[in-house]
Each structure stands twice: as structure tokens, then as C-alpha cells.
Amino acid sequence: MGDIKTNRRALRHGALCMAIGLGLAMSGVAWGANTDGSIVGRTKAGATVTARDPATGLTRTVTADDAGNFRLPFLPVGHYQVDSSKDGKPVATTAEVNVSLGNATTVNLVERGATGTTELEGVQVSAPVVINAVDVSSTEIATNVSREEIRRLPVDQNVQSVALLAPGVNKGNAGFGGISFGGSSVAENSFYVNGLNVTDFYNRNGFSEAPFAFYQEFQVKTGGYSVEFGRTTGGVVNAVTRSGTNEFKAGAEMTFEPSDWQATTKNRYWDGERYITSSEDHYSRTKMNVYASGPIVKDKLFFFAMYEARGYTPQNTDNQGTVLTQNDTDSGFWGAKVDWHINDKNLLEFMAFSDKDTNEGSVYPYDYATRTKGQKSDVITSDTGGRNWNGTFTSYLVDNLSMKLMYGRNEREAYTRGLADAECNPVRIDDNADAPDVPLGCSSSTMVEKRNDTRKQGRADFEWTLGDHLVRFGYDHEVDTSQYDRHYPGPGAYYYNIVHADPGSTIENDGVMPPGYDMYVRQRRYNISGTFETSNNAYYVEDNWNITPDFLLNVGLRSDSFDNKTAEGESYIKVDNMIAPRLGFSWDLNGDGRTKIFGNLGRYYLPVANVINIKQAGGLLDERTFYTFEGYQFLDRNGSQYAVPILGQQIGAVDTSQGNGTVGDLRAEVDKNMDPVYQDEAILGFQQMITDKWSWGVSGTYRKLHDAIDDMEISATPQCGGDGYIGYVMGNPGRNVTVYGDTNCDGTPDGYITLDTSKQGWALYDASGNYLGQRGWKKPRRTFGSLEFQVDRAWDDKWMFNASYVLSWSRGNAEGPVNSDTNFDDTGRTENFDDPWVNLSGGYLPNDHRHQFKLRGTYAISDQWQVGADVTALSGSPITAYGVGNPFDKTSYHSYFICVENCADPVSENRVYVESERGAKRTPWSFNLNASITYLLPLDEKNNLRVKFAVYNLLNQQRTTGVDQDLQTSIGSNSNTYLQPIRFQPPRFGQLTVSIDF
């Protein structure tokens, strides 16, 4: 009797899992691969299980083991018919299942009753059933979004907008954009297309991107992802492209965003003066793509090809409203996918696309008061993007062992230049109130930069089923090469900044403002060039063990290494044996597939971006000379007036501390025993089905970032004190650093020195230059904790709904490899540790948003009409009042100290400072409502017309998202622009998309 009850329970469990597996899961599945999915389940022992995609004829067959378990891995995303038979007789009714990206669909094929249906204690289960599943085989947190779901929602046509649908994912808080996952900085994420890593490896902020119509499905991984994914301490966006089938298909899609459908961007005023002129900023965008797909050889060889023509014409003024730039982008995208089903056991696919883009910006003098422009003064040309391709071979070696091999290439170009580069220097002013009424300088370009990044990637992935164990293992190899050249335009390649400072105050090079002057000019020269290579390698192994039918244990191990090289090909920063363990579990609490508890512990490593190789191992010249400001000289070019600063007496010494144009002895510039940057993560969650369509869940996440790799100015050593100056060193702040230096204090480097940078390394000097001793840096800290609540109602051709709320905290003294609060985007070479005072204070970090609400849904009014909405409410980000001095020495640089008394006293030890609390203030809440209405018209059995009109930021909220956080720009001199808003929500715009498929 006990055996009968057990069997009935197993059958009930299996049938429910079959139904559950048909829906789109709220969370991803650890068993899925990075370009496809799987079908798993139980049937009669020894039965033959066949999965067939009717659209392509792809057929995969395996034999169930002695317990009736089967697995069909590495299946392309699509719709499958699954059958089970033994001795030539069917075991169960054919199941219709959908395989989604990164997921394992569970379908149990049990013996049929006399009526031909599956009877389980009076419960009849038939497929398909549309529900949102609680996936009992998942130990990670991920969100899947299909192309069809995106077409029903008001989601802007870029990958970032898709990622922002996931809970806990937000826009970056800096001018350089990006997205933040779980409190991480924008430079810690990874992006994949068909298994090809397309992440920007130069600065790790950005990625190669195709148009929406090229993608089939996205998976946004926000935590607990398996060991096949690495090189990230943020999140993963994983996408697959569309493929051809046996049915010839073609179509076109047109997107219109005319400037008339955009709200006017607000001008911004401060103390009655306009400091940001935005009302003339607008754009028009038109895109049209055409595609075709179908069989080359029926059931064997298929193609999908797409071309998109683009027209994009944005215009904008500078902040003063004296320069107008009218841009014109007229580039095309092409992409293709070819699939060859060699036989039932072998599949070969090839994907290629080009996102090359060219923008020409015509620059004119502009009179904002009269809305008139002068003669064209310059043309700025920017080339971006590149070609991308990969080939993937998938093979069923035997029933229980499968293999996937991939090799590909990812290219990214960034080339910016202007016609006026040879004769015009860029000029900027920090205090806009003192700007002249004509343009500053005759160049709107701030750099002449050419960069070509090429990634060559290969990987091998295997799955081996051994009874209750699924063993996954593989190897991943990348070679990332950057060719780089950069300098400022104009004679001498100088960039002039005009800055306010009070007389007698100390400026950033420790010079003192002379009496009678309240403005100075920083003349900066910045040159760097070379070719630099980094290689990344990883091995991984993972065991998914079904300890019982209801309890899954996931145990994984990943070993990473990276080798960043100089322009001569020598190792610059090399770290091996970065062991990343992962441990997860999923417990089907009631054994019915409707309720689960899951958890995950994992370690994740972050590689060093190529920008580090270039900046320190490439002979960087960063020369800064400071002069008193003697007013403006007004010059004429092509009939238009412009202003340049008149340089007075030099203030202080020339500063080349950031780079003197030579490659020094790298033994003295890189820690010999450097530790990598890594993050530990813990997740505990609960999910439950309410009905066949409704589910809900709650999860808690804790992340802790360990270490940083960044530059520190080592100006003292234990052996020689202040006489042991070494210079800027890449290492782990707050830990032991071993570099080549002067061991016997005779002024000549002669051996390795180890110093504890938590206590040593920074020389303290008073205002008279007297050596006071030394001190060290605080260790970098970042912790993130969150509680996530989510409820989901699956689409059933009538309506769908998803809502989430995230309560989170991000604390510490280091945001990560970039600084959002000071808009510093040189990844891994921030100002966080240039001296001990920059990161001295802990508190709430820039990506801390305490409350995050997200809702999205679609409702079908009729068969022809649908309405959709996407709502986000986000609490503000922290604001800190930065100073430049400190109570410990004479240093004048970004710090968390504000001088309040005796600030003009030349004796630094007489000054009185107060410590500024990190994140003491916050930006306001931001709200965003996107809405859409869609008209669907079936023209005949195969031809369909879709018209969608979407409005983004419907309420035209243009709230502040970032402010000037510099309270003091020189010691004791309070800035009159502190808390001045500088970044805002983009204004409302409309988008019309018309598509036809036939």
C-alpha cells in the first residue's frame, strides 16, 4: 500500500511539473545553458524519449535510465513535441512544450489510462497549460523576457530597457550611463549574444548591441548564476537571436520618433542664472528593418537575415547656449543566422552582425536669445561599433554525454575627431556664471581618440548525466586586444579649464592662489598610445545532484585567471587560480511542484579592464600646469567670435604625478603579489503558485565586495619614510603591497619592499614641508542587502501582470571600479585611493536606492486591441558634501573633510575641519510611466499587421537624478554650485512602430 501511495504521489508530482514547465518561469534554471534550454523529466524505465521541433524538423532522442529519468540538453529555443515509447508502443500522450533560454522544462511522460488521458487520482492534466511556473529545479534569480512579451509592452528598443524590467536593476547615477545590478557599479556586468561575450572590455561600461527585431529572447540574471558565467560581480544579460524554420517568412518593421512627439527639455536655473540650456535639444529618429527567413534545405539548413536602415538626427546646445551641434547618423545594421542540422545528433550554427555606426556633428556658434546660428565652425565625426560573429557546434556524443563548442570574434571601434582639431583647443569653465557671451574656444571636441577593441573567444561546454547526478564542465578562453591613441585637439594638444578659487586658498597641485585672484586656469596635456592585450581563462565543473526527488543540490567550482599585458607583450597584472565555489539548493517543499525554498552561496571574480594596461603601462603623459586667470582674449574664426583664457603667472609646480609620458619600472608600479577583486553572495528565497496563472515569491540577497585593484600614491616606505617615494602603484588598498624600491635609503631602487598599506605608504607633511610620519588607507568596503517581493500573473491571451518591490541597502566606502558621485569612469583607476582621505568615510554608496517599485502589464481589450503599461518608482540616491583638505596634512584633493575655521591660514595644522557624512542627503524620488496601445490585424492566415504607439515618461517627469556634490573646490572656499542639479530624467517622447509579417 505504501508503494502505491508513493507511486501516486510521484505521478501527481510529475504531471503537475509537466504543466508547470510549459509556462514562462519567474526565475531561471541552473540547469539551462547560455544559448539554449533543456527538457527533463521521467517516463517508463528504458523508454525512448523523442523531442521534435515541428518548425525545423530537429529531432533529439534519448533513452530513459532504469529509474525512468531522461534529459535532452542543448535544445535551441522553440516549441517541441515530446513523445515516449517502449517496445514500439507509446507510453504517454504527446506533450507540447516550450523551451526557453537558460531554462530546463520539466515534462513527465507517464502511462496513459483507458481513456487516453493521464489519470492521477481523479486529476486530469493535459497540455498545453499557460501558467507562470515555480521552477523547483532553479537555484538562481533570473528574469526571462521573450520577443513577443516585449512587443506587447511599452519597452524602449534597447537592451538596457529590457534589463531594467528585472527587480533590483537600475540606471547608473553618472553621466557615463550604464546599469547597476544589486548595488554594483555599472562597470561590473556581462552581456552575451548567442554565447558570444560582447561586453566592452576596455572600460566594462557598454556592449555591442543589435536591434530588437534581431533578438528572440533575453534572460536577465541578477544573482546565483552558475559557474559557466564569470568575470562579473554585477549581473548578466544573456540573449539569443532569431532563427529560420521550414516555413519561409519575411517582414518589415518601421519605427518613428519625430521631434514633434517630444516634450521640451527644461532649461535649468541657479541663483537666477541659466546654467544648463536644454530647450533646444531634440532629435528625430527613423528606423526600418526588413527580414527574411526560411529553409535552404528543408529539415536541414535554415537562414535568418535582417537589414536595418537608420536615420537619427539629434541636436543640442552647450550649457551656455552659445554652441549648437546638429548631428546626423545614417548607418545600417545587418545580421544573419544560419543553422545546419547535420543529423539528429549534431547541429552547427553561425551568427554574424554588424553594429558599425558613424555620426557627424556639425558645430555652429549660437545665439540663444535670438535662436540664430552662425556659420559652421567644425564637424565632429565619431565612428563606433564593429563586426561580430561566432560559430557553435553542438553534439550528442552519446545519450548521457553532450558537447557544445563555440568560437567567435567581437569588435568595437571608437574613433572621434573634428575638422578643427589642428587649430582649436577645448575650453571649459566650472563656474558658468562667469562665462562670456560667446563660445569658449573654437572646438566642441574634448579629445581626438581612436580605439579598436577585438575579442577572440573560444569555449567548450559539456553535460554528463550519471544517475541522479548531472555533471557540467567546460573551458572558456578570451584574448582581448586594444589598439589605442588619444590626445586633446588644438595647438600643443592642451585642454583649458577655468576654475573658481578664493585668494589664499590651496588648489589641487598644492599651489596657493595669489592675492587679488579668484579664478585660475588649468592647462592639461594628455597623450597615450599603444597596443595592449589581456587574456582571460576559466575552467569550471558543476554537479547537480537530486538527493531525493524533491531536493536538488547544486555544487560548482570555477577557476579563473587573467593576464593583462604591456604594449611589449609582457605581463603587467597577472592573477591565477581564482577559485570561485558555488553552492545552491532547491527544495520542493510539498512535493507537488507548487512551492519551493531555494538558496545559493557563491563567489564571483572581476577582471582588470584594459584601460588599466593603457593608462599605466602605456607611457601616459598627464601634464597639468596652473595659471592665474587674466580674463579672456576674443578671437575670430570663419567669421565667428570665440573666447580663450589669458594665462597669467604660474601657480605651483607642474603636476605629472598621474603620468609623465614614460613607462617606468613596472616592478615599482604594480604589486608583485596582488589579490583579485571578488564578491561573495548569499541568496535565500521562497516561491509559491497561487493558481495555475498566479505565483508569488520573496527572496533575500546579501553581497559583499572584497578588495579593490586601484592606484595609490606610495610616498613613504617603512625603511626610508618620506625619502622612500615610489609613486603611483596598482595594488590592493589597505593590504600588503610588494614593489621594487629603495631598501637602504640611498636614493637608488635596489630590491623589493613590502609595506602594509593599512598603516603605511602615505607621507604626511605640514604646510612648511616638514615630514610628520606616515599612515595608510582604509580597506575598500561594499555591502549590499535586499529583500525582494514579486507577484506574477502569466499572459493567457487576455492579460498579464507583474509587480515587484525591492527594499535594499548599499553601504561602504568604495562604489566599485568607477566613481558615479564624481563622474569618474576610468575603470579601476579611480580617485578612490589616490590618497587616504578620498575613501576615508563610509556610508551609503551612489547606487543605493532604498525603495524600488516596478509594475508592468498588458490587457487585450479585444482580439485587435491591446493596452500596456510599465511603471517604475525609485527612491533617490545619496548625496555627499565633498571637500578638498584634511586635518592630517597639507593635501588639497577630494576628501570627506570640510574646512570651517582658519581656512586661509597658510599653516595647515591651524585649520579646523569637520568630517562630512557620506550620503547625508538624497536626490528626490523619480517616477516613470510608459504606456502603449497596440492594434493587431490578421490580414490572412500568414500575414499580420501590428501597429503600436508608445509614450515613454507619459507624465513628463524631469526630476533631478544627480547633483554637484563638491561643497568646497579649494580649502575653505565653498562652491556656489554645491547641490546644483546636473542630471535629470529624459523628457516624454512618443514612438510609433508598424510591423508586418508574412
Side-chain angles (χ1 to χ4, degrees):
M1 188 69 179
D3 291 340
I4 294 175
K5 287 183 178 179
T6 301
N7 290 337
R8 286 179 175 175
R9 181 185 177 217
L11 291 176
R12 185 191 308 114
H13 181 191
L16 287 170
C17 285
M18 178 182 71
I20 291 167
L22 300 176
L24 174 64
M26 222 167 72
S27 293
V29 183
W31 286 5
N34 65 350
T35 62
D36 43 43
S38 303
I39 296 176
V40 300
R42 295 181 64 196
T43 187
K44 196 170 185 178
T48 299
V49 180
T50 301
R52 182 178 182 274
D53 182 352
T56 64
L58 175 64
T59 303
R60 291 283 173 80
T61 301
V62 295
T63 301
D65 63 18
D66 293 342
N69 298 308
F70 69 89
R71 176 175 177 81
L72 292 149
F74 295 149
L75 292 174
V77 171
H79 182 79
Y80 289 83
Q81 297 171 344
V82 186
D83 289 287
S84 175
S85 63
K86 187 171 183 180
D87 300 328
K89 298 179 181 180
V91 173
T93 303
T94 299
E96 304 274 345
V97 301
N98 291 318
V99 172
S100 57
L101 176 61
N103 291 338
T105 302
T106 301
V107 52
N108 288 347
L109 303 170
V110 295
E111 294 189 50
R112 294 183 297 175
T115 62
T117 60
T118 303
E119 296 187 6
L120 304 173
E121 294 188 344
V123 179
Q124 291 188 341
V125 180
S126 61
V129 179
V130 182
I131 56 174
N132 201 19
V134 171
D135 196 319
V136 294
S137 63
S138 171
T139 66
E140 70 177 8
I141 297 180
T143 300
N144 276 63
V145 185
S146 69
R147 177 172 175 264
E148 289 306 314
E149 182 176 356
I150 292 170
R151 297 178 84 181
R152 293 191 296 264
L153 290 167
V155 179
D156 197 12
Q157 296 178 1
N158 55 72
V159 173
Q160 175 175 292
S161 295
V162 176
L164 291 172
L165 296 176
V169 182
N170 298 301
K171 290 183 179 179
N173 288 319
F176 44 86
I179 49 179
S180 169
F181 287 74
S184 65
S185 75
V186 299
E188 301 174 51
N189 309 315
S190 291
F191 302 84
Y192 294 85
V193 177
N194 283 14
L196 178 67
N197 188 354
V198 296
T199 313
D200 168 28
F201 57 78
Y202 169 74
N203 242 6
R204 292 196 60 83
N205 183 22
F207 51 93
S208 302
E209 186 171 357
F212 253 28
F214 193 60
Y215 296 111
Q216 177 61 37
E217 189 171 347
F218 300 88
Q219 187 179 54
V220 183
K221 298 175 181 287
T222 53
Y225 34 91
S226 69
V227 288
E228 70 180 291
F229 292 96
R231 306 187 189 112
T232 169
T233 48
V236 174
V237 179
N238 190 26
V240 290
T241 64
R242 296 164 69 182
S243 299
T245 66
N246 277 325
E247 182 181 5
F248 180 81
K249 297 179 181 179
E253 182 174 272
M254 293 162 285
T255 302
F256 305 94
E257 294 177 26
S259 59
D260 290 343
W261 294 355
Q262 299 158 30
T264 301
T265 308
K266 297 177 181 177
N267 293 329
R268 302 291 171 168
Y269 294 83
W270 189 257
D271 290 339
E273 297 286 339
R274 187 182 74 249
Y275 69 97
I276 295 180
T277 306
S278 302
S279 58
E280 303 299 290
D281 297 355
H282 59 77
Y283 70 90
S284 291
R285 190 196 310 269
T286 304
K287 298 186 292 185
M288 178 176 180
N289 69 66
V290 292
Y291 80 90
S293 68
I296 301 173
V297 178
K298 187 176 181 181
D299 288 343
K300 286 292 184 182
L301 190 61
F302 311 90
F303 78 96
F304 174 87
M306 195 187 81
Y307 178 79
E308 180 173 274
R310 303 165 173 171
Y312 180 48
T313 56
Q315 78 162 32
N316 60 276
T317 59
D318 66 345
N319 285 342
Q320 291 76 39
T322 58
V323 177
L324 175 71
T325 302
Q326 293 181 326
N327 297 279
D328 186 9
T329 300
D330 187 11
S331 303
F333 168 93
W334 60 261
K337 174 91 182 302
V338 176
D339 294 270
W340 180 19
H341 299 173
I342 303 171
N343 53 44
D344 288 348
K345 289 185 175 292
N346 297 285
L347 172 65
L348 182 63
E349 53 188 294
F350 179 80
M351 179 272 297
F353 69 88
S354 171
D355 63 345
K356 289 180 69 69
D357 202 3
T358 298
N359 180 81
E360 287 193 354
S362 298
V363 184
Y364 304 87
Y366 190 68
D367 187 331
Y368 176 77
T370 61
R371 306 299 199 271
T372 57
K373 65 181 182 181
Q375 294 183 350
K376 185 187 297 186
S377 61
D378 200 0
V379 176
I380 308 298
T381 303
S382 298
D383 296 329
T384 58
R387 294 184 178 91
N388 305 269
W389 62 266
N390 75 331
T392 305
F393 174 66
T394 305
S395 179
Y396 270 30
L397 301 175
V398 293
D399 273 3
N400 64 342
L401 179 62
S402 301
M403 173 184 72
K404 183 184 288 287
L405 305 177
M406 190 277 289
Y407 180 79
R409 186 181 178 102
N410 164 231
E411 297 178 354
R412 290 172 60 87
E413 179 184 24
Y415 184 18
T416 303
R417 69 275 188 198
L419 293 180
D421 286 347
E423 51 185 312
C424 289
N425 299 101
V427 181
R428 297 292 182 269
I429 188 168
D430 286 0
D431 190 341
N432 296 313
D434 296 324
D437 293 330
V438 299
L440 284 169
C442 57
S443 174
S444 59
S445 173
T446 58
M447 71 177 72
V448 181
E449 180 182 39
K450 183 175 178 60
R451 189 180 85 242
N452 290 93
D453 295 331
T454 302
R455 169 189 281 111
K456 298 177 182 178
Q457 180 187 2
R459 64 178 299 143
D461 300 280
F462 298 85
E463 285 199 4
W464 189 10
T465 304
L466 298 170
D468 292 331
H469 297 265
L470 170 66
V471 180
R472 304 174 64 248
F473 56 96
Y475 172 68
D476 177 12
H477 173 71
E478 289 184 5
V479 177
D480 303 336
T481 304
S482 294
Q483 294 177 298
Y484 191 78
D485 182 82
R486 174 179 168 181
H487 58 85
Y488 291 129
Y494 291 125
Y495 185 162
Y496 296 101
N497 272 90
I498 305 168
V499 183
H500 171 79
D502 290 339
S505 64
T506 303
I507 62 176
E508 58 185 277
N509 70 332
D510 288 334
V512 178
M513 287 292 291
Y517 290 93
D518 62 359
M519 303 284 282
Y520 68 87
V521 180
R522 183 182 74 180
Q523 174 189 275
R524 186 179 184 187
R525 192 149 56 106
Y526 188 104
N527 300 331
I528 183 71
S529 64
T531 300
F532 306 86
E533 180 183 288
T534 295
S535 64
N536 298 315
N537 298 279
Y539 301 87
Y540 75 88
V541 61
E542 178 183 80
D543 181 17
N544 295 275
W545 179 20
N546 276 109
I547 298 177
T548 73
D550 301 326
F551 193 90
L552 168 72
L553 183 66
N554 174 282
V555 182
L557 199 66
R558 179 183 174 96
S559 177
D560 272 289
S561 66
F562 56 75
D563 186 2
N564 292 60
K565 300 177 182 179
T566 67
E568 289 75 32
E570 299 178 356
S571 291
Y572 163 59
I573 297 177
K574 184 176 183 179
V575 182
D576 295 314
N577 300 319
M578 292 177 281
I579 305 300
R582 313 277 171 87
L583 176 65
F585 77 93
S586 178
W587 179 20
D588 182 358
L589 197 61
N590 299 317
D592 59 3
R594 300 181 66 88
T595 305
K596 77 164 183 178
I597 297 174
F598 68 100
N600 201 295
L601 296 172
R603 175 165 291 181
Y604 305 84
Y605 287 90
L606 189 68
V608 174
N610 270 27
V611 65
I612 299 301
N613 311 33
I614 295 168
K615 292 296 177 68
Q616 193 164 24
L620 167 68
L621 173 65
D622 189 351
E623 177 188 272
R624 310 178 194 199
T625 309
F626 300 80
Y627 301 92
T628 57
F629 174 65
E630 301 289 349
Y632 291 105
Q633 179 182 9
F634 294 92
L635 304 174
D636 182 271
R637 181 175 183 271
N638 297 335
S640 299
Q641 239 189 2
Y642 67 95
V644 295
I646 300 173
L647 307 183
Q649 61 179 296
Q650 183 173 326
I651 307 173
V654 177
D655 180 7
T656 59
S657 61
Q658 298 290 319
N660 63 6
T662 64
V663 179
D665 185 347
L666 293 180
R667 296 176 301 172
E669 297 183 11
V670 180
D671 178 13
K672 182 181 179 182
N673 303 313
M674 191 182 304
D675 291 327
V677 178
Y678 66 96
Q679 180 170 265
D680 289 328
E681 179 185 71
I683 296 172
L684 184 63
F686 171 85
Q687 286 181 294
Q688 185 178 49
M689 288 182 60
I690 304 170
T691 69
D692 285 349
K693 297 184 180 68
W694 286 90
S695 61
W696 75 283
V698 58
S699 64
T701 299
Y702 177 79
R703 288 177 159 187
K704 184 175 183 179
L705 186 70
H706 301 268
D707 288 326
I709 293 178
D710 216 313
D711 58 333
M712 301 169 283
E713 186 179 14
I714 304 298
S715 54
T717 62
Q719 293 86 346
C720 308
D723 295 328
Y725 183 87
I726 293 176
Y728 278 87
V729 170
M730 293 299 298
N732 304 125
R735 294 192 179 274
N736 285 351
V737 168
T738 301
V739 289
Y740 201 77
D742 183 2
T743 64
N744 56 17
C745 308
D746 63 358
T748 302
D750 57 353
Y752 279 97
I753 300 170
T754 298
L755 58 154
D756 181 356
T757 62
S758 69
K759 303 174 182 177
Q760 305 157 333
W762 179 261
L764 300 165
Y765 294 95
D766 63 18
S768 301
N770 298 310
Y771 177 65
L772 304 176
Q774 58 183 301
R775 66 173 291 160
W777 286 257
K778 278 194 172 183
K779 292 180 181 178
R781 305 185 311 278
R782 186 184 79 196
T783 60
F784 173 80
S786 71
L787 285 173
E788 175 187 314
F789 302 86
Q790 187 171 185
V791 60
D792 190 270
R793 202 271 186 187
W795 173 250
D796 61 353
D797 293 329
K798 185 62 178 178
W799 69 290
M800 63 79 62
F801 175 75
N802 180 277
S804 67
Y805 167 67
V806 178
L807 174 67
S808 64
W809 298 263
S810 182
R811 301 183 180 94
N813 65 350
E815 175 189 356
V818 296
N819 293 144
S820 295
D821 41 16
T822 56
N823 222 42
F824 201 96
D825 67 342
D826 271 355
T827 302
R829 193 180 164 89
T830 69
E831 60 177 23
N832 259 344
F833 308 99
D834 286 357
D835 66 51
W837 329 121
V838 183
N839 80 321
L840 189 65
S841 179
Y844 294 111
L845 296 171
N847 294 302
D848 176 72
H849 294 278
R850 190 59 37 77
H851 305 284
Q852 305 165 44
F853 294 90
K854 295 183 180 182
L855 300 93
R856 65 180 186 270
T858 303
Y859 180 75
I861 302 172
S862 66
D863 290 342
Q864 282 75 45
W865 292 95
Q866 296 175 358
V867 291
D870 176 32
V871 183
T872 301
L874 189 66
S875 63
S877 59
I879 299 172
T880 300
Y882 288 107
V884 291
N886 70 85
F888 307 102
D889 69 3
K890 65 171 185 175
T891 306
S892 176
Y893 197 61
H894 253 140
S895 75
Y896 288 87
F897 292 96
I898 306 300
C899 185
V900 293
E901 293 182 27
N902 305 326
C903 302
D905 195 321
V907 180
S908 57
E909 48 268 38
N910 291 338
R911 300 169 185 158
V912 179
Y913 291 88
V914 295
E915 186 172 356
S916 181
E917 181 184 356
R918 189 163 199 158
K921 300 178 183 294
R922 286 188 178 262
T923 59
W925 277 70
S926 62
F927 302 91
N928 194 71
L929 168 61
N930 304 327
S932 65
I933 183 167
T934 303
Y935 175 66
L936 303 167
L937 178 63
L939 302 177
D940 54 38
E941 290 184 0
K942 294 185 178 182
N943 302 336
N944 297 283
L945 175 69
R946 177 188 295 262
V947 181
K948 181 170 79 171
F949 180 67
V951 180
Y952 299 91
N953 191 5
L954 179 64
L955 302 180
N956 196 28
Q957 298 280 308
Q958 297 186 39
R959 297 195 177 193
T960 298
T961 58
V963 301
D964 182 353
Q965 301 189 46
D966 288 328
L967 175 58
Q968 293 185 343
T969 55
S970 59
I971 295 175
S973 176
N974 285 1
S975 170
N976 62 2
T977 60
Y978 171 61
L979 295 182
Q980 186 181 77
I982 55 177
R983 290 185 294 276
F984 313 91
Q985 291 177 262
R988 178 179 57 234
F989 70 96
Q991 181 185 83
L992 178 67
T993 304
V994 181
S995 59
I996 184 169
D997 299 288
F998 51 87

PDB file of all heavy atoms in Angstrom, residues 606 635 941:
ATOM      1  N   LEU A 606      36.186  39.626 -10.607  1.00  0.00           N
ATOM      2  CA  LEU A 606      36.108  40.680 -11.614  1.00  0.00           C
ATOM      3  C   LEU A 606      37.488  40.890 -12.224  1.00  0.00           C
ATOM      4  O   LEU A 606      38.462  41.139 -11.506  1.00  0.00           O
ATOM      5  CB  LEU A 606      35.626  41.989 -10.975  1.00  0.00           C
ATOM      6  CG  LEU A 606      35.298  43.130 -11.939  1.00  0.00           C
ATOM      7  CD1 LEU A 606      34.065  42.784 -12.772  1.00  0.00           C
ATOM      8  CD2 LEU A 606      35.065  44.426 -11.164  1.00  0.00           C
ATOM      9  N   LEU A 635      38.830  86.003 -30.105  1.00  0.00           N
ATOM     10  CA  LEU A 635      39.403  85.712 -31.410  1.00  0.00           C
ATOM     11  C   LEU A 635      38.288  85.447 -32.411  1.00  0.00           C
ATOM     12  O   LEU A 635      37.117  85.306 -32.043  1.00  0.00           O
ATOM     13  CB  LEU A 635      40.355  84.512 -31.323  1.00  0.00           C
ATOM     14  CG  LEU A 635      41.496  84.633 -30.310  1.00  0.00           C
ATOM     15  CD1 LEU A 635      42.255  83.317 -30.222  1.00  0.00           C
ATOM     16  CD2 LEU A 635      42.430  85.779 -30.693  1.00  0.00           C
ATOM     17  N   GLU A 941      -4.188  34.053 -43.253  1.00  0.00           N
ATOM     18  CA  GLU A 941      -3.670  33.011 -42.364  1.00  0.00           C
ATOM     19  C   GLU A 941      -2.199  33.224 -42.013  1.00  0.00           C
ATOM     20  O   GLU A 941      -1.746  32.810 -40.949  1.00  0.00           O
ATOM     21  CB  GLU A 941      -3.858  31.633 -43.001  1.00  0.00           C
ATOM     22  CG  GLU A 941      -5.309  31.175 -43.070  1.00  0.00           C
ATOM     23  CD  GLU A 941      -5.443  29.773 -43.617  1.00  0.00           C
ATOM     24  OE1 GLU A 941      -4.394  29.169 -43.938  1.00  0.00           O
ATOM     25  OE2 GLU A 941      -6.573  29.278 -43.701  1.00  0.00           O
TER      26      GLU A 941
END
